[in-house]
Amino acid sequence: YSSLMEKEELRKQLQKLENFIESYYIFSTRKDREVLKRCFEAILFAFVSPFIWMMRKEVEKERSKEKIAEIPIILILGGLANTGKTKLLLFINQLLGNSFDVFNYRDVYHRNQRILYDFFNTNNLFPILVDEIYDNFFKGEGERLIKTLTNTLTEPHPCLIGTSNIGFSAEAQVIRRIYYLHFESPFPEDKETKEKADRYFEEKVGLVEDKLFKHFLAKFTELVKDGGYFKLEDPLYGGRVVFRAMFEEAGLSVPDFLSERPCGDYYKIGSIEWQALYYTKKEAFKEMKEEGEKFLVIDLKSFYESKEAEQLKNKLPPSIIKSSGTPLILYKDKFLEFIGYKEDFFLKRIIKFIQKS
């Protein structure tokens, strides 16, 4: 299936890819080049995904069965509405050369049905692309499915790339088994901007084929033969190497969106949300001490509905939580470090001095 392109054709295909990714900066309302890294990372995951079963098999052989869960087989594109998640999924579908549309979640996951499970237990290596995954996929039966698949699959199998909404939340045992990328730069919805975007895609991107994917597969296969094509902390490492080499081979500058490391976002977004809560509801965080260690106690259900409180709690790394009940008890120093808050100890000393005086 894989085949190499001549230099000029490779350049043309890479420029199409670059133009598509750049559109997420050109047409978004919030100018942030970090989102381009997330676009590329999703494409990179799709391109590398046919080899992920090999990585998992190698990890099982060289390390242990428990370690294979650290090689994710599921990528979730989450975030705000109208941020281009579905557009990216459709673009990936074209890059892979699929002649069929992406799946809708309702079509592949039903309670007491095993459609997704059956997909994963085939030797098809192309990723399964699913739009608008519901929250229930990450809970209950869906959670058990994710655990079963990520803990056991080492023979040839596909990966899953899906979109989800801003309310995406899952417990730590699920989060550590998936790769999550967050999109938060919406596109304008006015007619004039849409027309400009349509002209841009027609002129700068045009017809999308699977030539680049086939070229990548050929190059990545060579890397696999040489060894060192992935790292446990970065399964997409080899893909980064191949893409960098392809841009250089085509005589193009390596774009800034080609990141050197994974850019998983779940706890980054959690940090921002908890920081906002701490700054606006600081008085709700009560301090307590136990055996010389400081903790913060917060009752989320005092100002959130149960579902929202649970979602926010799930966005804390497990290492920060002493007790996950109601109220929630957090390690103070770890929590403040997580949200990037630094206490002004100098000011505190002045206040204490004034109070004593």
Side-chain angles (χ1 to χ4, degrees):
Y1 178 78
S2 60
S3 60
L4 295 170
M5 291 181 281
E6 297 294 331
K7 181 178 178 179
E8 282 308 309
E9 184 61 29
L10 176 61
R11 172 191 283 262
K12 178 183 172 183
Q13 296 299 325
L14 285 172
Q15 285 175 328
K16 283 186 177 187
L17 177 76
E18 190 168 358
N19 290 341
F20 174 84
I21 293 174
E22 284 290 339
S23 72
Y24 281 72
Y25 181 82
I26 296 169
F27 296 105
S28 66
T29 56
R30 182 171 172 263
K31 302 300 182 185
D32 180 12
R33 293 198 65 80
E34 286 298 306
V35 73
L36 307 190
K37 291 183 180 180
R38 284 144 184 81
C39 290
F40 175 75
E41 199 78 356
I43 294 167
L44 182 63
F45 183 91
F47 276 34
V48 173
S49 65
F51 300 91
I52 282 180
W53 73 272
M54 296 173 64
M55 302 175 193
R56 291 165 60 82
K57 195 172 187 70
E58 188 171 320
V59 167
E60 180 186 37
K61 181 181 177 182
E62 301 294 333
R63 304 287 289 271
S64 67
K65 184 82 173 179
E66 292 75 24
K67 284 289 183 181
I68 64 173
E70 296 183 30
I71 306 287
I73 61 174
I74 296 173
L75 168 66
I76 298 298
L77 313 178
L80 298 171
N82 196 35
T83 51
K85 303 186 297 294
T86 298
K87 180 186 283 289
L88 178 55
L89 197 68
L90 294 174
F91 184 69
I92 289 171
N93 199 43
Q94 292 177 311
L95 285 173
L96 299 177
N98 289 336
S99 58
F100 50 87
D101 201 358
V102 301
F103 292 106
N104 187 287
Y105 179 67
R106 291 190 302 270
D107 299 328
V108 296
Y109 187 80
H110 303 284
R111 195 171 184 178
N112 300 325
Q113 293 191 25
R114 297 164 62 87
I115 300 172
L116 264 184
Y117 182 84
D118 291 340
F119 276 166
F120 275 105
N121 282 278
T122 69
N123 58 8
N124 162 51
L125 300 180
F126 275 40
I128 308 161
L129 308 181
V130 183
D131 201 18
E132 297 182 1
I133 295 178
Y134 297 170
D135 281 353
N136 69 334
F137 179 62
F138 308 102
K139 300 168 187 173
E141 190 63 35
E143 179 184 330
R144 286 189 285 275
L145 174 67
I146 293 171
K147 287 180 181 178
T148 300
L149 295 172
T150 54
N151 288 350
T152 59
L153 290 181
T154 54
E155 295 305 315
H157 65 77
C159 292
L160 170 70
I161 303 174
T163 66
S164 188
N165 62 30
I166 190 173
F168 168 76
S169 174
E171 294 188 6
Q173 60 264 34
V174 172
I175 293 302
R176 73 182 187 87
R177 289 176 168 86
I178 66 175
Y179 191 18
Y180 177 81
L181 299 173
H182 191 76
F183 292 76
E184 57 181 1
S185 299
F187 290 98
E189 297 187 30
D190 61 281
K191 184 179 179 182
E192 184 181 351
T193 305
K194 285 184 176 180
E195 288 176 351
K196 284 182 180 178
D198 288 341
R199 286 197 300 272
Y200 176 90
F201 285 113
E202 186 178 336
E203 296 170 5
K204 299 289 188 179
V205 181
L207 180 66
V208 180
E209 305 169 278
D210 60 356
K211 291 181 179 179
L212 189 61
F213 181 45
K214 290 180 176 180
H215 188 93
F216 176 89
L217 292 178
K219 292 293 185 179
F220 198 93
T221 301
E222 294 175 10
L223 191 65
V224 170
K225 292 175 182 176
D226 294 337
Y229 63 101
F230 77 99
K231 297 179 180 179
L232 191 60
E233 66 276 12
D234 183 12
L236 306 184
Y237 165 77
R240 302 183 204 284
V241 171
V242 170
F243 257 105
R244 192 173 294 277
M246 289 197 305
F247 274 101
E248 292 171 352
E249 179 187 348
L252 296 170
S253 299
V254 177
D256 62 348
F257 57 67
L258 205 166
S259 57
E260 296 183 0
R261 60 187 64 85
C263 47
D265 289 322
Y266 187 73
Y267 289 125
K268 290 180 187 175
I269 301 306
S271 171
I272 294 169
E273 292 182 16
W274 274 95
Q275 183 188 75
L277 177 63
Y278 186 74
Y279 286 154
T280 56
K281 302 278 187 182
K282 193 172 180 180
E283 71 284 353
F285 289 79
K286 306 300 182 183
E287 188 169 316
M288 78 174 203
K289 290 184 180 180
E290 183 180 298
E291 298 179 353
E293 189 160 14
K294 294 179 181 179
F295 302 94
L296 292 175
V297 181
I298 177 77
D299 182 8
L300 292 176
K301 292 181 181 178
S302 64
F303 38 85
Y304 284 117
E305 295 292 332
S306 293
K307 182 180 179 181
E308 286 75 18
E310 189 68 19
Q311 287 178 341
L312 189 58
K313 184 183 76 174
N314 287 340
K315 291 178 181 177
L316 283 172
S319 60
I320 289 173
I321 302 173
K322 175 178 172 60
S323 172
S324 61
T326 301
L328 192 60
I329 303 176
L330 312 174
Y331 292 97
K332 181 180 178 180
D333 292 343
K334 290 180 180 179
F335 173 75
L336 295 181
E337 182 182 355
F338 172 65
I339 66 172
Y341 180 85
K342 292 184 180 180
E343 292 189 283
D344 194 332
F345 295 106
F346 180 68
L347 181 60
K348 275 190 169 184
R349 285 196 295 269
I350 292 175
I351 293 172
K352 283 184 180 179
F353 176 76
I354 293 172
Q355 288 173 341
K356 288 180 181 178
S357 300

